[in-house]
Amino acid sequence: MTIRAVVWGENVHEQTNKVVSDIYPDGMHSAIAAAISGDGVIATTATLQDAEHGLTEARLAETDVLLWWGHAAHGDVSDEVVERVADHVNAGMGLILLHSAHFAKIFKRLMGTPCNLTWREAGERERIWVTSRNHPIAAGLPDHFELENEEMYGEPFGVPEPLETVFISWFQGGEVFRSGLTYKRGAGNVFYFRPGHETYPTYHDANVQRVLQNAVRWAYNPAPRVAGVNDAPNVPVDQALEPIEERGARLHQDGEEGFR
């Protein structure tokens, strides 16, 4: 089994901030791709600056799991590309949202909520607790691990109730946050993972890398991609599974599109 992953990064801070470029000289997307590559996973990268953000229809059709990191340029992402990604998630492509991608257009599109939170950039310690020991995303992790420096995210987190909460974080300033959440959107598996502020070496941490490796395998759906995820066909009376008689007035003729 080979899992084809694409790591999408906006690739802005790496070009404008020396602290970030020193930590991730080849870009955060490259560091994440290197962390998940191997053992049956082939990871490539795409960035905001690429044509169609590197997420063409053909590229997405060949992507099993998409990882998304964004922060400073959420608004620069094409709405057309967002809808294209959403269609592929609904059809069965896995999606992993990282850190500030809580405000990415694609996450807000799939969640249907503000996805807002509280935050503080103070380099404080983050203690990440595993709240679902047997979950595949937590495989091989201790009951908790720490990141010496991270940005604080605090509750309330304006997202729908998740299917599962895999991780909860505590910060030095006292806040807590649901840091690992799973969702199902159509046929696609979706995972949000909180750590990953760009001015700290979070994606070089072995436990964080283990989470990402596990998450890619969890998000992978081996079934064929579902076709026509936005179709809403009009089924004529004579095609009903059981014989029926038409009764009452109707707005639409057989085969006519419905209102959207």
Side-chain angles (χ1 to χ4, degrees):
M1 177 188 72
T2 298
I3 299 175
R4 301 163 298 179
V6 172
V7 179
W8 189 91
E10 70 179 25
N11 194 33
V12 171
H13 294 293
E14 298 94 319
Q15 302 183 60
T16 60
N17 186 293
K18 187 176 185 303
V19 173
V20 180
S21 62
D22 284 348
I23 297 172
Y24 301 105
D26 297 319
M28 299 178 71
H29 50 286
S30 295
I32 295 168
I36 64 174
S37 292
D39 196 21
V41 176
I42 298 175
T44 57
T45 63
T47 67
L48 176 70
Q49 297 78 25
D50 296 336
E52 299 184 62
H53 309 324
L55 300 176
T56 63
E57 177 65 33
R59 182 85 178 275
L60 290 172
E62 296 179 349
T63 300
D64 297 314
V65 180
L66 176 63
L67 295 88
W68 190 287
W69 193 100
H71 188 188
H74 296 315
D76 295 338
V77 176
S78 160
D79 291 341
E80 181 181 355
V81 170
V82 171
E83 288 304 309
R84 187 183 301 158
V85 172
D87 285 348
H88 277 275
V89 172
N90 283 318
M93 182 182 73
L95 180 65
I96 299 171
L97 292 307
L98 302 172
H99 191 57
S100 293
H102 71 90
F103 265 164
K105 285 183 178 180
I106 183 58
F107 191 50
K108 297 179 81 170
R109 163 70 173 77
L110 293 172
M111 296 297 106
T113 57
C115 301
N116 55 324
L117 45 81
T118 64
W119 62 282
R120 180 174 54 246
E121 191 178 14
E124 58 201 277
R125 182 180 304 113
E126 176 180 5
R127 182 173 297 136
I128 301 167
W129 288 92
V130 174
T131 56
S132 182
R133 286 178 170 172
N134 291 329
H135 198 283
I137 296 176
L141 294 172
D143 283 348
H144 70 271
F145 62 93
E146 295 184 358
L147 300 171
E148 187 58 33
N149 301 110
E150 252 299 347
E151 181 181 24
M152 183 279 290
Y153 281 4
E155 296 285 349
F157 189 14
V159 292
E161 190 66 22
L163 289 176
E164 303 150 306
T165 299
V166 186
F167 303 109
I168 289 179
S169 289
W170 168 91
F171 296 88
Q172 260 182 296
E175 290 87 355
V176 296
F177 192 76
R178 292 169 291 165
S179 284
L181 305 178
T182 70
Y183 295 92
K184 190 82 170 181
R185 290 295 181 265
N189 297 316
V190 179
F191 178 59
Y192 172 77
F193 186 50
R194 196 219 69 84
H197 192 58
E198 56 270 31
T199 60
Y200 311 122
T202 299
Y203 294 119
H204 297 307
D205 181 86
N207 286 313
V208 169
Q209 292 179 356
R210 174 63 65 89
V211 171
L212 298 181
Q213 293 160 6
N214 291 343
V216 167
R217 289 171 175 78
W218 171 87
Y220 170 61
N221 181 355
R225 201 70 46 98
V226 176
V229 292
N230 294 310
D231 292 349
N234 179 341
V235 181
V237 171
D238 62 4
Q239 293 181 21
L241 295 178
E242 302 292 341
I244 59 171
E245 293 183 6
E246 183 175 338
R247 300 187 296 176
R250 61 154 101 173
L251 290 171
H252 300 284
Q253 299 304 309
D254 289 348
E256 184 179 329
E257 288 286 336
F259 299 121
R260 293 189 183 221

